Amino acid sequence: MSFTKTLPFLASALIISIFTTANAATFDVTNRCSYTVWAAASPGGGRRLDAGQSWQVNVAPGTVQARIWGRTNCNFNGNGEGQCETGDCNGRLECQGYGKAPNTLAEFALNQPNNLDYVDISLVDGFNIPMEFSPTTNVCRNLRCTAPINEQCPNELRTRGGCNNPCTVFGTNEYCCTNGPGSCGPTTFSRFFKDRCPDAYSYPQDDPTSLFTCPAGTNYRVVFCP
């Protein structure tokens, strides 16, 4: 987006500034687990959260393909370099890019057509931590995935610290939908996740029951172990 000329530019810049301020989103990330979680956000970086601690992430309007997740059993040195058992982000405390499966995801795209945010909880990268993803400033759907999935995980999907999605394990179109829209559907494994977390994506084309909207400008909270 670009604007030209002096006075019109200043007026436009002011309008854009007001619009941006009104529609930027704040995400309050809180750890209610009994253990430490290393929160991660793309965009946003990362933060160690001991039990009861919170972290605020501000996300610019128009941001797409964004996500927040938790990492477990991490060990970082003084330079912020190390590894996590689940959700690892290129070996960095300050995340750049996405995390390694398994990780429970809060996903969002802000200020999309019709002045809407698109939000979801996704188990397409598996599950590691129970999560709530909900609005704080508008009345739209509260999303939760709090079932004991790690404990009940099918043997084929079990991994240290979490439960893999079958796409991660098998890598075939049946589970990954790599051949495009309509090329895959629910499976026994996806139903395992969907039965326990009806709000969450259980496979990549699970949009009709898993993708929700809020008015643009909504603020949100992400809670680990709600």
Side-chain angles (χ1 to χ4, degrees):
M1 184 181 297
S2 63
F3 296 85
T4 56
K5 307 301 180 187
T6 315
L7 231 47
F9 174 83
L10 292 175
S12 298
L14 179 59
I15 291 169
I16 292 169
S17 175
I18 292 170
F19 179 83
T20 300
T21 301
N23 290 278
T26 298
F27 292 77
D28 291 316
V29 184
T30 300
N31 178 22
R32 292 187 185 159
C33 302
S34 59
Y35 49 87
T36 298
V37 173
W38 285 260
S42 178
R47 181 74 58 88
R48 173 181 172 139
L49 297 180
D50 293 326
Q53 290 185 326
S54 295
W55 174 41
Q56 190 172 90
V57 181
N58 296 310
V59 182
T63 299
V64 298
Q65 297 182 329
R67 57 182 57 180
I68 294 172
W69 71 99
R71 297 168 287 177
T72 60
N73 293 329
C74 301
N75 187 6
F76 294 106
N77 62 24
N79 295 321
E81 299 170 340
Q83 296 291 328
C84 299
E85 185 174 75
T86 66
D88 188 72
C89 187
N90 298 319
R92 303 288 304 178
L93 172 61
E94 288 287 344
C95 272
Q96 297 175 355
Y98 294 161
K100 185 178 179 181
N103 51 347
T104 316
L105 300 174
E107 298 181 315
F108 52 95
L110 303 179
N111 304 88
Q112 296 306 292
N114 300 316
N115 208 29
L116 293 172
D117 294 344
Y118 287 86
V119 297
D120 68 82
I121 289 178
S122 176
L123 305 183
V124 171
D125 282 356
F127 178 99
N128 65 338
I129 302 173
M131 177 185 284
E132 175 189 339
F133 182 21
S134 56
T136 60
T137 55
N138 273 301
V139 179
C140 37
R141 192 180 182 106
N142 288 4
L143 306 179
R144 293 172 67 90
C145 182
T146 59
I149 288 178
N150 289 342
E151 292 80 2
Q152 298 173 1
C153 186
N155 288 334
E156 299 93 328
L157 306 182
R158 286 184 178 271
T159 188
R160 289 184 61 185
C163 184
N164 275 321
N165 188 276
C167 177
T168 303
V169 176
F170 302 110
T172 61
N173 178 72
E174 179 183 7
Y175 302 114
C176 301
C177 307
T178 48
N179 293 343
S183 66
C184 66
T187 65
T188 299
F189 288 129
S190 74
R191 291 187 186 97
F192 163 79
F193 291 107
K194 199 68 175 180
D195 288 347
R196 287 156 181 80
C197 290
D199 288 340
Y201 269 85
S202 59
Y203 70 100
Q205 294 182 19
D206 196 10
D207 306 83
T209 61
S210 310
L211 184 62
F212 303 95
T213 59
C214 282
T218 299
N219 293 326
Y220 300 91
R221 63 173 168 262
V222 175
V223 181
F224 304 122
C225 303

